[in-house]
Amino acid sequence: MRQHYIAGNWKMNKTKGEAVELARGLVAALKGGKNKYMIAPPFTALDAVSQVVRGSNIRLGAQNMSTDESGAHTGEVSALMLKDLGVQTVILGHSERRHIYKEDDAAVNKKVRLALKHGFEVILCVGELLAEREAGKAEAVCEAQTRKGLEGVAEAELKNVVIAYEPVWAIGTGKTATPEDAEAIHKFTRGIVASLYGKQAADSIIIQYGGSMKAENAAALLAQNDIDGGLIGGAALKADTFVPICSA
Ligand code: PEP
């Protein structure tokens, strides 16, 4: 049985003080919780939040990472810089990175391989646009993003990979995929992993759902066989809305 993994992506929200306050509340509320947890504050709060979550059952995540190790990349943050702050997990290929900042599959794959090389856990986000779903292309988009994202990733590294299925039309919109629709893509994606790495690897990989997950819909989504957790945006910004998902 795969452990449920609930992760919070705080996006471009929270000053350092606000981030520390929320992290302190979560450390207290999730102590002894039976699932796996991660929070990804903005870069500017990573150092401060790192001190708060150290020694707790909450992993520290970053929302992005540079494709390159160092050098002339103005505005970028490297793997070593993140490691230095105690970051354990990096979210890569988030739809906001893909669609607003035009990150393509090659860039996402470069980041995935670099992050794994540096020993991070990677959450690889995949998901279709509304127009792609309406055109019957949801599976094809998720398959391409999964295959390209994992290109060059060795079987031994897969234990550090989590996939997050995030239909873009459900992110921050209040629209959630039905548990059955989400389950269909999760099952399909697990099949892709099986075709690449075999059944055992596919059975073990964590596949999170993301897209307007909240306390009211989390239990039904998490009850699906192939939905192993959630990547939460809006509802991760307050302990009152995040903690109930963590215990759903
Ligand atoms: C996300 O951006 O990863 C996300 C799932 O956001 P929200 O929960 O707000 O839809």
Side-chain angles (χ1 to χ4, degrees):
M1 168 107 182
R2 295 177 295 271
Q3 187 186 26
H4 278 165
Y5 185 5
I6 311 293
N9 172 11
W10 296 359
K11 307 192 184 185
M12 197 173 69
N13 294 291
K14 307 285 177 197
T15 60
K16 194 165 70 167
E18 291 166 346
V20 163
E21 192 186 332
L22 176 55
R24 282 198 183 125
L26 294 176
V27 166
L30 298 178
K31 194 173 174 196
K34 64 179 180 354
N35 297 322
K36 180 174 170 182
Y37 311 112
M38 182 277 272
I39 52 176
F43 288 135
T44 48
L46 279 173
D47 199 13
V49 171
S50 180
Q51 321 295 325
V52 178
V53 298
R54 183 165 302 154
S56 78
N57 59 345
I58 303 179
R59 299 175 69 86
L60 184 66
Q63 301 172 18
N64 189 20
M65 193 195 84
S66 174
T67 47
D68 289 271
E69 301 216 271
S70 66
H73 297 281
T74 302
E76 291 291 293
V77 177
S78 78
L80 285 180
M81 292 168 186
L82 296 178
K83 208 183 251 185
D84 196 34
L85 298 180
V87 168
Q88 298 153 297
T89 301
V90 285
I91 299 172
L92 296 174
H94 190 279
S95 63
E96 287 151 17
R97 300 298 321 170
R98 291 179 189 268
H99 297 293
I100 304 174
Y101 298 101
K102 309 296 175 211
E103 273 183 23
D104 61 12
D105 285 313
V108 174
N109 175 251
K110 198 172 172 199
K111 292 179 182 194
V112 167
R113 285 184 288 124
L114 189 60
L116 292 171
K117 178 184 145 191
H118 284 282
F120 290 103
E121 173 184 78
V122 165
I123 298 183
L124 169 64
C125 302
V126 304
E128 80 285 359
L129 297 162
L130 182 59
E132 292 166 336
R133 170 155 287 260
E134 287 173 347
K137 292 183 182 158
E139 289 188 346
V141 170
C142 293
E143 173 166 5
Q145 291 179 351
T146 303
R147 286 188 184 277
K148 290 177 187 164
L150 293 176
E151 234 167 62
V153 172
E155 192 182 335
E157 294 175 307
L158 203 70
K159 62 179 188 311
N160 288 327
V161 176
V162 170
I163 295 176
Y165 168 55
E166 300 206 302
V168 182
W169 48 271
I171 295 181
T173 58
K175 289 181 198 155
T176 321
T178 64
E180 295 72 25
D181 283 348
E183 168 64 11
I185 298 283
H186 279 239
K187 194 168 178 191
F188 173 79
T189 304
R190 200 177 298 286
I192 303 297
V193 175
S195 74
L196 291 169
Y197 298 97
K199 186 176 177 326
Q200 205 181 334
D203 283 345
S204 320
I205 196 164
I206 301 286
I207 307 182
Q208 298 172 322
Y209 169 80
S212 298
M213 196 188 244
K214 38 190 181 289
E216 300 80 64
N217 57 28
L221 286 159
L222 294 170
Q224 301 296 314
N225 199 43
D226 291 285
I227 301 183
D228 310 314
L231 180 56
I232 324 294
L237 294 175
K238 286 187 192 154
D240 284 358
T241 47
F242 189 59
V243 172
I245 302 174
C246 292
S247 38

